[in-house]
């Protein structure tokens, strides 16, 4: 009988935790402006199922970091292989790289540390700063000719979702 309970517990607890985690994700994401992005980002990270709302906020901030890192990689690729890039566009791309480095080295660590210490206003500001950096990169390219538009929008939207989750924490 004891063995049966152990087996049953090891099978049911993860399922129960997943259901509870899914409910928290759904309820949290419903309170953000980009529901689908929020759900997709959190469901793609297995840690989302076994955490609280602070953990969800951290996961979203790390999603910003991952997307910004891919943005830097993309910028470097374009600069390295784009021989026909105009000098102004080359400089704009370098400026965008600096903005993405600011997200990775400044905004993300500030937000993570602020969540860890319970200083949620700084976490919210760090996430908003990342959103602004991404949009500033987009605005570097006049007329919507940015080769980074999808990355800029993704970093912006992830940052807004992260800030929204932090705002939920602040208001609860």
């Amino acid at each position: 009988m004891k063995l049966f309970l152990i087996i049953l517990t090891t099978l049911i607890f993860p399922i129960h935790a997943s259901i509870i985690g899914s409910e928290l994700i759904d309820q949290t994401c419903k309170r953000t402006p980009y529901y689908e992005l929020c759900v997709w980002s959190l469901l793609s990270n297995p840690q989302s199922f076994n955490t609280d709302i602070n953990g969800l906020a951290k996961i979203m901030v790390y999603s910003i970091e991952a997307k910004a890192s891919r943005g830097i990689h993309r910028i470097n690729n374009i600069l390295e292989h784009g021989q026909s890039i105009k000098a102004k566009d080359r400089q704009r791309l370098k400026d965008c790289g600096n903005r993405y480095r600011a997200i990775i080295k400044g905004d993300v660590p500030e937000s993570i540390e602020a969540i860890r210490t319970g200083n949620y206003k700084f976490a919210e500001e760090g996430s908003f700063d990342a959103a602004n950096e991404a949009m500033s990169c987009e605005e570097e390219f006049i007329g919507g000719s940015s080769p980074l538009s999808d990355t800029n929008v993704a970093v912006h939207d992830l940052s807004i979702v992260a800030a929204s989750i932090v705002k939920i924490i602040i208001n609860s």
Side-chain angles (χ1 to χ4, degrees):
M1 183 66 172
K2 201 174 198 181
L3 179 62
F4 174 74
L5 287 176
I6 292 170
I7 292 171
L8 188 62
T9 303
T10 57
L11 292 175
I12 292 178
F13 180 73
I15 294 169
H16 179 70
S18 287
I19 292 169
I20 291 171
S22 295
E23 288 176 15
L24 178 61
I25 290 168
D26 184 58
Q27 293 304 311
T28 301
C29 290
K30 282 181 180 175
R31 296 173 67 186
T32 71
Y34 302 106
Y35 174 79
E36 285 95 18
L37 176 64
C38 178
V39 168
W40 183 85
S41 298
L42 293 173
L43 289 180
S44 66
N45 186 321
Q47 294 175 348
S48 297
F49 297 100
N50 300 315
T51 193
D52 58 8
I53 194 162
N54 282 24
L56 296 180
K58 286 180 188 176
I59 290 167
M60 287 306 302
V61 172
Y62 284 123
S63 295
I64 297 165
E65 180 180 46
K67 186 57 94 170
S69 294
R70 284 193 292 277
I72 288 174
H73 178 73
R74 190 167 172 195
I75 290 166
N76 290 337
N77 247 356
I78 294 168
L79 289 172
E80 187 177 318
H81 301 301
Q83 293 87 358
S84 63
I85 297 175
K86 297 176 194 169
K88 281 185 178 182
D89 286 342
R90 186 171 293 281
Q91 186 56 51
R92 289 176 179 138
L93 284 166
K94 289 178 181 178
D95 292 344
C96 285
N98 290 334
R99 292 181 192 289
Y100 278 112
R101 280 187 270 294
I103 291 170
I104 293 167
K105 293 182 179 181
D107 299 327
V108 167
E110 173 187 329
S111 294
I112 293 296
E113 180 64 14
I115 293 167
R116 190 186 69 73
T117 60
N119 194 346
Y120 300 111
K121 198 64 184 161
F122 281 117
E124 184 184 27
E125 289 172 10
S127 295
F128 278 132
D129 285 349
N132 290 331
E133 292 287 359
M135 283 299 95
S136 293
C137 176
E138 186 64 22
E139 292 164 2
E140 291 274 340
F141 294 87
I142 301 163
S145 62
S146 170
L148 304 167
S149 289
D150 57 337
T151 302
N152 293 333
V153 169
V155 171
H156 172 269
D157 294 356
L158 285 168
S159 300
I160 295 299
V161 169
S164 297
I165 293 172
V166 172
K167 187 74 165 177
I168 294 167
I169 298 168
I170 291 170
N171 291 333
S172 58

